[in-house]
Amino acid sequence: MKAIHDYRDYCQYVDTKLYSRFVHRLLDRGIYMTPSNGLHWIISTAHTNADVAALLEAADQACTGLS
């Protein structure tokens, strides 16, 4: 797997299928993220510390075994 350091690397090396699997794993855990790998994730002031903690926990679980 190639390290991604900037947007140019991202465009060249992004694994869209892997990202899709990750997003679906988040959805299975109650977290909706944009299905587009080209859009940014946004956390707003409407999100609580508990929301952020839930996202981090779900992302950690979603990444387990993902390759």
Side-chain angles (χ1 to χ4, degrees):
M1 182 181 302
K2 172 82 169 132
I4 296 176
H5 300 285
D6 57 31
Y7 188 70
R8 185 172 295 157
D9 288 345
Y10 173 80
C11 290
Q12 185 172 0
Y13 300 110
V14 66
D15 185 335
T16 57
K17 290 180 182 177
L18 184 61
Y19 179 79
S20 178
R21 288 179 46 219
F22 173 67
V23 167
H24 282 93
R25 286 178 172 209
L26 286 178
L27 188 57
D28 291 342
R29 289 162 176 80
I31 304 290
Y32 175 79
M33 301 303 283
T34 179
S36 172
N37 64 319
L39 299 175
H40 300 284
W41 292 8
I42 299 170
I43 297 175
S44 76
T45 57
H47 293 99
T48 65
N49 288 340
D51 293 329
V52 174
L55 167 61
L56 293 174
E57 178 66 24
D60 187 48
Q61 292 172 1
C63 287
T64 301
L66 192 64
S67 60

